[in-house]
Amino acid sequence: MRGDVRRLTRTVAGAQVVAVTDVDLDRARSVAEGVPGARALPTGQALIRADDVDGVVVASWGPTHEEYVLAAIEARKPVFCEKPLAPEVDACLRILDAEMASSRHLVQVGFNRRYDSAYRAMKRTLDGGSLGPPLMAHCAHRNPSVPPHYVGGMPITDTAIHEIDIVRWLFDQEITGAQVLKPRKTSRAKADLQDPLIVLMEIADGALVDVEVFVNLPYGYDIRCEVVCELGTVALGDGSLVVLRKDGFRSDHVPDNFQERFERAYDTEFQEWVDSVVAGQATGPSSWDGYAATAVADACLAALDSGARVPVQMRQRPAFYAPAGLRTPVGAGR
Amino acid sequence: MRGDVRRLTRTVAGAQVVAVTDVDLDRARSVAEGVPGARALPTGQALIRADDVDGVVVASWGPTHEEYVLAAIEARKPVFCEKPLAPEVDACLRILDAEMASSRHLVQVGFNRRYDSAYRAMKRTLDGGSLGPPLMAHCAHRNPSVPPHYVGGMPITDTAIHEIDIVRWLFDQEITGAQVLKPRKTSRAKADLQDPLIVLMEIADGALVDVEVFVNLPYGYDIRCEVVCELGTVALGDGSLVVLRKDGFRSDHVPDNFQERFERAYDTEFQEWVDSVVAGQATGPSSWDGYAATAVADACLAALDSGARVPVQMRQRPAFYAPAGLRTPVGAGR
Amino acid sequence: MRGDVRRLTRTVAGAQVVAVTDVDLDRARSVAEGVPGARALPTGQALIRADDVDGVVVASWGPTHEEYVLAAIEARKPVFCEKPLAPEVDACLRILDAEMASSRHLVQVGFNRRYDSAYRAMKRTLDGGSLGPPLMAHCAHRNPSVPPHYVGGMPITDTAIHEIDIVRWLFDQEITGAQVLKPRKTSRAKADLQDPLIVLMEIADGALVDVEVFVNLPYGYDIRCEVVCELGTVALGDGSLVVLRKDGFRSDHVPDNFQERFERAYDTEFQEWVDSVVAGQATGPSSWDGYAATAVADACLAALDSGARVPVQMRQRPAFYAPAGLRTPVGAGR
Amino acid sequence: MRGDVRRLTRTVAGAQVVAVTDVDLDRARSVAEGVPGARALPTGQALIRADDVDGVVVASWGPTHEEYVLAAIEARKPVFCEKPLAPEVDACLRILDAEMASSRHLVQVGFNRRYDSAYRAMKRTLDGGSLGPPLMAHCAHRNPSVPPHYVGGMPITDTAIHEIDIVRWLFDQEITGAQVLKPRKTSRAKADLQDPLIVLMEIADGALVDVEVFVNLPYGYDIRCEVVCELGTVALGDGSLVVLRKDGFRSDHVPDNFQERFERAYDTEFQEWVDSVVAGQATGPSSWDGYAATAVADACLAALDSGARVPVQMRQRPAFYAPAGLRTPVGAGR
């Protein structure tokens, strides 16, 4: 929470933090004390209902997202929900239904890579059409290490979830099937974690995506993506700030963690959300995007379990969640 | 002006634009209309004296900088002055004298490269000491084109001035001599412009710096810098956002202009200045830095004229302008 | 043939071409005329039996390899056989049996990538152990185009066959299973060719390898390989000879074809084979390597057909084909 | 000598070593013993006069070059002379005169960089004309260390001599002036060596070249060159064989020494010389090139001494030394 509050008060122009809450109320109070004009409130529901709250940021534990997002929709207030929209597909669907019933686009999901300037340049290149249609993508998501509570399906739900969203966004299509391969396990992973994994995803038009997920590769935090099209490819650059020549090597630094790599994207994400709230026009990842990610992650988890290809089960996309240009704006009902 | 105002109101948290002015008052009024709570004032002096103005940004034509900076010092208000501090060394010295007389660090000069994350990483590497002392630097400052009024000494005063400052900052020493070489002239430069140039600068401890200044090189805006130390080198990276593989080439984009390359640095620069105003502790490039840059540029201009080495003439550095940690803070006199 | 003869006479020291043959005898005569001391012979069998022939290079059509290699073994002469050793696994096995019966290592297969300096640097890095055990490899084999007769299973037998061998060599283990995925087909491929493909290969210890095979990607000939180990990765460099900065791009050339990329490797391959013949000690890819490649390709072809994982069927590795250091030299029986 | 003999006998096709000599005759005998058909001769003169010697390689100490090259010219035998052609300009001129008197191009100087594939690609790019005329070049010649006898002017005569030749070749013009700058000296250089240096060279048409010569920079052997033209630049690539990702860095290896960087160029150089001898048509760097390099090095030495710009003094280029296509072939007089 502290990070989000700091970003909203110090980096993002146009926003003011007026209330905070936390399951640990003392923590909420301590944060509120550091922000002029902010107060701590006892519950998320109280915060969402407060008259001077115009928009809500939900950054609590995943299983609690549904409750707060639904409350924000009911209060007809824009809500920024950190990923996942909800851990369960059914919860995502309940949010979709509520948002559609409200007739307004109120929900944005925190898929911050869409705000990264490199991914955006890649998207512009693909949309420009000079490379022809995309046929494959090769991705890698590498972390130097993960905390002790990172187990089981978290390589899918906490890590590959970013690629799930970015691939949907880059290809502008849904994912229709998934398979998960288990390479030789690294000796650095705990007993209850299969690491690395290779996640294979099928795009609706037949394109294939492979994602290496490796969260105990100690050399650094490295996010890579190359989209292979009919006429050429486009990839995230390997560029770093400076290049060192020393001791027989020419080297550049790999980011230590996601903050170093995506800090600016977090800023842009918040700024654009604040702007969209002011403008009354939702522009960011929607509930539909959150739902789709969860649905694909479910298929991946099943594939991880079964070892076989698993089709992705998804509801028909409602017109309400048509591409942004055609959608009902956030403030249309006001 | 419009760019600065937009940045202060939309990007930088903690600042509010309350008044603007311009030699073209209609323009000032039009800008003020776009900013809630802002008004246009008839003169810079009126703006500087206004009670609700806590800090001043001077972005007018270079020759007018002295007047406004002196007025801000007299009003004991922090002032952010775009480079150059003043085009004439004597004017710089008058600003130094006034600021020292005020006993407070009120002036920051707009050398925005010090806020660029790549230069900062380079500076950290050099300060870390693992490369040993720096002996040389090779720089290039390349522009695809320049406007019609760009003539005479402007490759020094408008272009190399950035390298003059960044080299002083990277080496943490003054520049003591300069020489300017004139390579074969490009056919793309106008008759009244020697382009390209090679500017040679001597650092106080004997290190040498060469700067290629080439402002009609149409391939893009390219800023390069490699510092050669006893044990190795560190250089600005060549990294770009994405890498394209197409038509027989693997390529990445060179920035089109300085905005694309340094946009983030401008944001950071303003943000840190706003923060320093709030904190009452000047942290950015000082009057001394502005003076030093003008003094070196003067030597370069003389060298351009004479073809010979020209020593840099500078006043002794007053204790007042000691390194930041030792300086009297902005708000100390309040 | 002409290329091989030129290489043997003009590039490789220590070899002399004394006889050539070809299914088109006129062509053989024309080649022989260009080489002082060389004559054309009517058949491969005649050539192999000729007293002044100390070693044989087989560069004929794949299905004829078996006959000539067996004849060379019978004549107890070293034979360099271009890949594939034989298109059918059974033919490979007959060669293995004959070579073992001869008690001498006489057969080398033309897997020339093992002689490429980049792959060799990669192998040294892996063998050095600083990266820990390899867990995955991501490869891409891209061709700008293929000739009209390139159809059906040739992406496996003519293209991926190189990765099949190099992966066995890099991991120093056999491949135990294969699966072939079919991404969305490029519109540039003919009706009878599934292009691109993704070939998945399982290494004996559980490591996984994915190979993108894309032979109608017009940007250039691009061979890529990254081996992901427990502590880091090693990849073929993207380096090119020169870097161009022009028209907004910084770019380097992708090779046009395999000659440009691997020309030096072909020289080294021949040179080392000539040296090994002189030294009486086989050092290059053996019959076993040729057999293994064909066996894996067979599994890939079956996988391409069935869409499912196919285990690789291989004979136990005989002691005769133990790692090079332990093998019976070519000349041991002489 | 041993390296040259090995290259001629084992790498280069078309040559046979029949005689060797050395100031240390025992050494010559030991080398000769290792080469079938070779014998040691007591003096260079005896070797040059020997009937079965068709071409001569002079790899002795620089001051002895003149004598042997003149003897080879007198014997009308092609001679490959390692750089420098001769340490003194006057000696170079005597060689030029003798060669012209012989009416045949018999002398090739060992400027091996002209055979490096990267420099050749750069030359092709420049000659192609797409970048417009060259205006500047920025070069760096970095060595990790130098032997104890490397003192005084050797940074010019042993190191920058390569850039002197390659710059003449790339620009296809003579060098008309030189200046040498002395940056802060590295603490790693001996007392009697100014290291690093910056050598400035003026091309006949006004283009300028700067060369960093730094022979105690321990990170590796690094040769860099960027030619800046009117429309863009072309530079030696930074490519390496493999790229390592480990311990927070993405790095590639810098060559340890000139052998690693230029080994292939040495092979090509010899091969093309052998071919040119067979063809009776000189194609490589000529006596004129050797003379020009020595003349420029002399100007650099004077500039190093005086600290001022020194014009290069050169004889008019005789028609005999016109560009290769127009020259009298080696064997024309036979």
Side-chain angles (χ1 to χ4, degrees), chain A residues 174-203:
Chain A
E174 296 297 347
I175 295 164
T176 55
Q179 187 176 354
V180 179
L181 307 175
K182 301 176 187 171
R184 175 176 165 176
K185 184 177 162 180
T186 177
S187 68
R188 302 174 63 88
K190 293 171 305 176
D192 47 5
L193 188 69
Q194 169 59 40
D195 187 44
L197 292 177
I198 295 179
V199 179
L200 300 171
M201 294 187 285
E202 305 166 19
I203 306 298

Side-chain angles (χ1 to χ4, degrees), chain B residues 219 222 238 245 248 250 254, chain C residues 219 222 238 245 248 250 254:
Chain B
Y219 81 76
D222 204 4
D238 254 355
R245 289 165 194 256
R250 173 179 41 239
V254 177
Chain C
Y219 80 77
D222 204 6
D238 252 355
R245 290 166 194 256
R250 172 181 41 243
V254 176

Side-chain angles (χ1 to χ4, degrees), chain A residues 122-123 125-138 167-173 203-209 226-234, chain C residues 183-187 196 214 217:
Chain A
M122 176 179 272
K123 175 76 166 147
T125 302
L126 292 171
D127 290 351
S130 69
L131 294 178
L135 308 177
M136 292 175 280
H138 307 301
V167 158
R168 290 182 61 249
W169 181 70
L170 289 171
F171 281 76
D172 224 357
Q173 292 174 64
I203 306 298
D205 70 359
L208 282 182
V209 176
E226 180 187 32
V227 180
V228 184
C229 303
E230 284 205 359
L231 300 175
T233 85
V234 58
Chain C
R184 173 176 166 175
K185 185 177 161 180
T186 177
S187 66
F214 195 171
L217 185 53

Side-chain angles (χ1 to χ4, degrees), chain B residues 38-55:
Chain B
R39 65 190 185 281
L41 288 176
T43 65
Q45 298 293 353
L47 185 150
I48 292 164
R49 280 191 305 262
D51 279 349
D52 57 345
V53 168
D54 296 326

Side-chain angles (χ1 to χ4, degrees), chain D residues 69-86:
Chain D
V69 173
L70 288 177
I73 291 171
E74 200 188 335
R76 305 184 73 74
K77 294 184 180 175
V79 55
F80 180 102
C81 179
E82 291 294 354
K83 57 103 193 160
L85 177 60

Side-chain angles (χ1 to χ4, degrees), chain C residues 252-311:
Chain C
D252 44 17
H253 176 60
V254 176
D256 288 330
N257 47 48
F258 70 94
Q259 290 95 333
E260 182 179 341
R261 174 65 182 81
F262 287 116
E263 191 182 23
R264 290 294 190 187
Y266 284 106
D267 290 349
T268 307
E269 180 185 34
F270 257 47
Q271 183 70 64
E272 296 197 8
W273 178 68
V274 167
D275 291 351
S276 78
V277 170
V278 170
Q281 171 74 52
T283 58
S286 68
S287 296
W288 180 260
D289 297 317
Y291 159 64
T294 299
V296 175
D298 263 13
C300 288
L301 288 172
L304 176 60
D305 199 44
S306 72
R309 177 192 181 276
V310 174

Side-chain angles (χ1 to χ4, degrees), chain B residues 150-222:
Chain B
Y150 187 104
V151 293
M154 293 179 73
I156 305 296
T157 55
D158 258 48
T159 304
I161 192 81
H162 283 292
E163 272 75 19
I164 289 172
D165 180 67
I166 211 74
V167 157
R168 292 181 60 249
W169 181 70
L170 288 172
F171 281 77
D172 223 355
Q173 293 174 63
E174 296 297 347
I175 295 164
T176 54
Q179 188 177 354
V180 179
L181 307 175
K182 301 175 187 170
R184 173 176 167 176
K185 185 177 159 179
T186 177
S187 66
R188 303 174 62 89
K190 292 171 306 176
D192 48 2
L193 188 68
Q194 169 59 42
D195 186 46
L197 292 176
I198 295 178
V199 180
L200 300 171
M201 295 189 284
E202 305 166 20
I203 307 299
D205 69 0
L208 282 181
V209 176
D210 50 85
V211 183
E212 175 201 318
V213 180
F214 196 171
V215 298
N216 286 287
L217 186 52
Y219 81 76
Y221 178 77
D222 204 4

